[in-house]
Amino acid sequence: MVVARSVALFAVAALFEIGGAWLVWQGAREHRGWIWIGVGVIALGVYGFVATLQPDGEFGRILAAYGGVFVAGSIAWGMVADGYRPDRWDVTGALICLAGMAVIMYAPRNH
């Protein structure tokens, strides 16, 4: 159950961080305005809080593992929000990142 909770928290964190960054991008690069940027900044702050809810207490481990989730999530977000079509190398890279995340977070440790 701890792994399922952790995976769910990573998914929620990805939603807020990637979504927040996308909103800032839309506000600044696509000229949608300061409201989009402001909402994006708030979402990025929520991401930072969600990361603290992970059951593991090691900041470096959580952030490193989240990097793998961010890579795969960013590609998925781009597909849904912007019509991005990843090639096989994008997909392969994302899967490698997710495998790395799983090793970092869920490998058995003797504590």
Side-chain angles (χ1 to χ4, degrees), residues 28-106:
R29 295 280 305 247
E30 303 297 328
H31 309 290
R32 298 214 173 160
W34 286 102
I35 292 175
W36 285 66
I37 294 169
V39 172
V41 168
I42 291 167
L44 289 166
V46 172
Y47 148 74
F49 178 75
V50 170
T52 69
L53 302 175
Q54 282 288 345
D56 191 298
E58 297 296 332
F59 173 80
R61 181 176 296 142
I62 299 301
L63 216 55
Y66 177 71
V69 175
F70 179 78
V71 169
S74 295
I75 289 173
W77 187 282
M79 291 172 63
V80 172
D82 293 327
Y84 173 69
R85 294 293 164 240
D87 63 22
R88 64 183 170 157
W89 300 112
D90 294 326
V91 172
T92 301
L95 292 172
I96 290 169
C97 289
L98 288 174
M101 179 278 282
V103 170
I104 290 168
M105 281 302 296
Y106 310 122

Side-chain angles (χ1 to χ4, degrees), residues 12-32:
V12 171
L15 193 69
F16 281 106
E17 187 190 14
I18 299 164
W22 184 83
L23 287 166
V24 170
W25 178 282
Q26 293 297 309
R29 295 280 305 247
E30 303 297 328
H31 309 290
R32 298 214 173 160

